[in-house]
Amino acid sequence: MRNMHETFEKLKEYFPISHFEMENIETYLPLIERSAVPLAFTGVNARTFFAWKQNGLVDLSILKKEDENGRKWIKLNLYEFVWVKIIQNMRDFGLSYDLIKILKTQLEIQTHRTFVEHLPDIENHWRTQKGFSEEKIVEAKGLLKKYAAMLEMTFDLDDPYEQQKTILFNLITKTIQLQSKSSILILKDNDEFKVNVVFYDGVEELQQYILPTIRKPHFEIPLLEIIEDFFNEPKSVQYGEELGLIDPKEKKVLEALRKNDFIELHIKLNQDNDLVIESINDGNITDEQAAQVRKILGLNQYEEITLKYRNNKNLYFRNKKRIG
């Protein structure tokens, strides 16, 4: 493991924005595996869901919870919630079960198995955008192959932890941690459907690879919007808390909004320090603003929060990365 860590640290020199943020998995996994979201919250009814399951679209670790009367309810974890919403979006546009299965197969590939597959594109990026010498490219390729080989040797098919190291898992973690505007694209090339992933923010030098892809006819599934939409409903506060997306202080803010128990609320975004909700007086807040606050808190998109209660007590805190 020490050699693997040393190899990974060396590779970071070649990937300022890592293509394989493996160190995040240990922190995210317990949260993403928590089953908290009722199936009804997805807008998909049980009959449709079980039809998808019967036809091989859903074979994840769906967990049934029993209530005090012994009735069973389907509860989804975050990974499953996102995947169900992806299926829902594809079916809404009439995409076939077969096409969804193609997407499912590709998103379930273990991330480390894609490194060498995409090596030609990575090598071209090093050469044309980074200006690496041939000697440095040879060194970087060797490190990447070595790291992928180490991961393959330690990969355990029977370990549920290992099974989560998939492309979709890493896309979800990156979306939550960095609010990365990533999308899954489905394209048709010579009568064959292919799946691609694009990132629209943060990496200008990768635009040359993104633009040719999105100029072709394609079906696009934006992941950040799926997760943001999760917070549109007030019930998301309860589920977000169980999933670790809402911490106790943030819950206090949302409870104050629900009870109108505040005079002023100030929230700063962490990107440009813009005041998204600068001041709301006398408990005046619209449903749209409440949803916006839930998204800001749930996705950790703020720098600091000041809340002034009606009883003159104040709540102030700066956010820290709860995950990662």
Side-chain angles (χ1 to χ4, degrees):
M1 293 299 292
R2 181 180 177 183
N3 288 337
M4 183 184 296
H5 178 72
E6 290 175 352
T7 302
F8 178 73
E9 289 301 314
K10 288 181 181 178
L11 272 170
K12 282 184 176 179
E13 300 174 14
Y14 300 95
F15 292 91
I17 298 178
S18 175
H19 293 277
F20 43 88
E21 296 168 359
M22 303 300 290
E23 70 262 16
N24 291 334
I25 291 178
E26 290 185 5
T27 314
Y28 275 97
L29 185 60
L31 302 180
I32 289 185
E33 281 196 326
R34 285 180 196 159
S35 298
V37 186
L39 177 63
F41 192 73
T42 67
V44 176
N45 62 52
R47 182 176 181 180
T48 299
F49 176 82
F50 284 110
W52 293 349
K53 189 171 176 62
Q54 186 176 11
N55 284 275
L57 304 188
V58 179
D59 61 359
L60 305 172
S61 57
I62 303 301
L63 186 63
K64 291 184 178 180
K65 295 281 190 181
E66 288 191 9
D67 63 15
E68 61 275 7
N69 299 316
R71 293 177 298 186
K72 291 184 177 181
W73 303 92
I74 297 172
K75 291 289 187 73
L76 308 178
N77 60 38
L78 186 59
Y79 184 103
E80 294 160 347
F81 172 82
V82 171
W83 174 239
V84 167
K85 296 301 290 185
I86 288 173
I87 298 175
Q88 184 185 45
N89 276 279
M90 295 179 74
R91 291 299 293 162
D92 284 347
F93 280 85
L95 275 65
S96 70
Y97 280 12
D98 287 341
L99 186 52
I100 296 174
K101 288 179 184 178
I102 291 173
L103 176 64
K104 178 175 178 292
T105 299
Q106 301 222 13
L107 292 180
E108 288 178 348
I109 294 174
Q110 275 70 40
T111 307
H112 71 271
R113 290 177 173 167
T114 67
F115 295 165
V116 177
E117 176 186 343
H118 294 289
L119 191 53
D121 290 334
I122 296 171
E123 182 179 347
N124 183 54
H125 170 69
W126 285 332
R127 182 176 288 109
T128 60
Q129 298 300 308
K130 290 295 186 181
F132 286 178
S133 67
E134 293 304 314
E135 182 180 359
K136 193 170 184 179
I137 289 175
V138 169
E139 179 186 8
K141 286 169 61 178
L143 285 169
L144 186 58
K145 288 180 179 179
K146 182 180 178 181
Y147 185 69
M150 287 177 176
L151 289 172
E152 186 65 29
M153 282 191 299
T154 59
F155 183 72
D156 184 355
L157 281 171
D158 297 322
D159 185 349
Y161 169 79
E162 298 282 351
Q163 290 301 311
Q164 292 289 350
K165 296 178 182 178
T166 63
I167 291 175
L168 180 57
F169 178 89
N170 280 277
L171 284 172
I172 293 172
T173 59
K174 188 169 184 178
T175 300
I176 295 172
Q177 185 186 35
L178 303 177
Q179 288 83 58
S180 178
K181 294 180 180 178
S182 59
S183 286
I184 299 168
L185 304 186
I186 301 173
L187 307 98
K188 193 172 185 180
D189 184 14
N190 296 326
D191 295 327
E192 181 182 356
F193 286 101
K194 294 184 177 180
V195 177
N196 202 351
V197 177
V198 297
F199 296 92
Y200 290 104
D201 54 358
V203 193
E204 290 185 9
E205 55 201 12
L206 293 182
Q207 294 304 309
Q208 62 169 320
Y209 301 109
I210 294 173
L211 291 176
T213 300
I214 63 176
R215 283 174 180 157
K216 298 177 182 178
H218 64 272
F219 182 80
E220 182 169 356
I221 305 167
L223 286 179
L224 181 59
E225 280 72 11
I226 286 178
I227 297 174
E228 283 185 337
D229 287 348
F230 173 86
F231 295 101
N232 280 336
E233 297 296 328
K235 287 183 179 179
S236 65
V237 176
Q238 174 189 339
Y239 310 139
E241 185 181 16
E242 291 183 53
L243 292 172
L245 300 175
I246 301 288
D247 69 22
K249 286 185 178 179
E250 293 164 344
K251 187 179 179 182
K252 287 183 179 180
V253 174
L254 294 171
E255 287 176 346
L257 296 188
R258 182 173 56 84
K259 296 176 181 178
N260 285 336
D261 187 26
F262 66 97
I263 299 174
E264 292 184 1
L265 172 66
H266 303 261
I267 299 179
K268 287 186 178 180
L269 273 185
N270 60 0
Q271 294 177 349
D272 302 314
N273 289 331
D274 292 330
L275 295 177
V276 177
I277 299 180
E278 183 177 359
S279 177
I280 300 172
N281 297 310
D282 297 325
N284 256 336
I285 186 167
T286 65
D287 290 342
E288 184 178 349
Q289 288 172 318
Q292 178 73 358
V293 174
R294 289 194 293 269
K295 292 176 186 178
I296 290 169
L297 300 185
L299 291 174
N300 216 12
Q301 292 176 333
Y302 62 90
E303 182 182 84
E304 61 185 50
I305 291 181
T306 303
L307 176 69
K308 186 175 181 180
Y309 289 95
R310 291 185 181 277
N311 60 8
N312 291 324
K313 289 184 178 180
N314 293 328
L315 175 67
Y316 169 81
F317 59 96
R318 296 175 65 90
N319 65 330
K320 297 180 180 178
K321 287 291 182 183
R322 298 184 303 279
I323 304 173

